[in-house]
Amino acid sequence: MQKILSYPISVIYYLFFGLCLVVFHPIQWVCFNVLGYQAHKKSVDYLNFCLLRCTHLLGTTYTFEGREKLPQDVPMIIVANHQSLYDIVAIIWFMRRCHPKFVSKKELGKGIPSVSYNLRHGGSVLIDRKDPKQAVPVIKGLSEYIEKNKRSAVIFPEGTRSKTGKPRAFATTGLKILCKYAPSAYVVPVTINNSWKMVRFGTFPMGLGNHLTFTVHDPIAVGSMPVDELMANTEKAVVGAIKN
């Protein structure tokens, strides 16, 4: 029944979702090229606020716990499980004061209004999954960027989205590079629940009436323990709070 009901609601949702992307694309361009980084960041923040509000049409609600744990005036490496693109929308909005930048696949860097522009110009990096050697210097550059500017890198170590909420094994190479070249950073584990239910039927129709939860765990200073122990503790924190 939910799937049948979702068809007309999803059409309305996608109309508003697409309108947000189209409207904010020129706004981003003007902000970036005329007003600079801070204005561009604000435009991206409010784009994602609007995208998040669009999901309310689907009956989606959000709880984002633990933001008070986030350290201030230090670089951060946000490590989360990955369930859908709505993970990104919520992280950008609810963690906006951290200036989150993403490690994304290169295919997202073109063809999507607003999204592709932000990935190319907003400080995020694009990697070719078929060419691991290319990813190393790109992620190193992101590490140096967050270290210098005290901003945040977001990485999903599962490598791809979980379609059922069940976590995949973490690949730690990218995270290790980030830690190596951002030695003053704090690793911030974040657990995401129920985001996969938004796309339980695929991209159309959308899932209805979901409550998405984001839990920020205690940050871990990169230099506080051996890197392998840091990786293990981070994965344990993220995975331990996933509810299937």
Side-chain angles (χ1 to χ4, degrees):
M1 176 60 74
Q2 180 188 126
K3 187 174 183 179
I4 295 173
L5 180 63
S6 180
Y7 279 101
I9 297 174
S10 296
V11 170
I12 297 170
Y13 162 74
Y14 272 118
L15 286 173
F16 281 95
F17 184 91
L19 182 62
C20 287
L21 296 184
V22 171
V23 167
F24 272 90
H25 190 90
I27 293 173
Q28 275 196 70
W29 187 95
V30 171
C31 288
F32 179 79
N33 289 283
V34 178
L35 302 174
Y37 172 82
Q38 291 294 341
H40 177 243
K41 181 195 175 296
K42 287 290 185 183
S43 72
V44 173
D45 290 346
Y46 284 100
L47 162 65
N48 284 275
F49 170 76
C50 291
L51 294 178
L52 186 144
R53 290 303 185 196
C54 286
T55 65
H56 292 336
L57 294 168
L58 303 167
T60 307
T61 56
Y62 297 82
T63 298
F64 212 107
E65 301 175 334
R67 281 181 289 174
E68 70 281 357
K69 298 178 181 179
L70 295 171
Q72 298 186 31
D73 298 318
V74 295
M76 284 181 276
I77 302 167
I78 299 165
V79 182
N81 58 312
H82 194 20
Q83 297 186 348
S84 77
L85 69 86
Y86 300 96
D87 304 341
I88 298 169
V89 172
I91 286 172
I92 291 175
W93 175 248
F94 288 110
M95 303 184 79
R96 58 192 180 278
R97 76 171 178 83
C98 305
H99 296 247
K101 314 300 177 186
F102 293 81
V103 179
S104 301
K105 58 184 180 181
K106 70 173 186 178
E107 290 82 1
L108 297 177
K110 56 183 179 180
I112 309 172
S114 288
V115 173
S116 297
Y117 190 88
N118 180 47
L119 288 175
R120 293 196 311 271
H121 300 287
S124 295
V125 295
L126 300 167
I127 61 173
D128 184 352
R129 289 181 177 176
K130 298 178 182 178
D131 184 6
K133 291 182 179 180
Q134 174 265 353
V136 173
V138 171
I139 296 175
K140 176 177 178 286
L142 178 61
S143 308
E144 294 168 342
Y145 171 83
I146 66 167
E147 178 76 11
K148 177 182 178 181
N149 296 287
K150 296 183 180 179
R151 292 172 183 159
S152 301
V154 181
I155 188 167
F156 301 113
E158 292 169 291
T160 188
R161 291 173 288 177
S162 169
K163 296 181 180 180
T164 63
K166 183 177 180 180
R168 301 170 183 265
F170 279 21
T172 58
T173 301
L175 182 52
K176 286 181 177 179
I177 296 170
L178 287 168
C179 291
K180 180 178 180 180
Y181 294 102
S184 67
Y186 280 73
V187 172
V188 180
V190 176
T191 300
I192 301 169
N193 279 297
N194 295 330
S195 176
W196 69 272
K197 295 178 181 179
M198 297 283 290
V199 290
R200 67 172 69 189
F201 306 125
T203 55
F204 188 85
M206 299 292 297
L208 301 180
N210 296 300
H211 180 208
L212 279 56
T213 65
F214 296 74
T215 304
V216 177
H217 302 284
D218 292 332
I220 309 169
V222 165
S224 66
M225 62 186 68
V227 66
D228 288 337
E229 184 180 349
L230 175 61
M231 303 297 114
N233 288 347
T234 300
E235 183 171 3
K236 181 180 179 181
V238 173
V239 173
I242 295 175
K243 302 172 183 178
N244 294 320

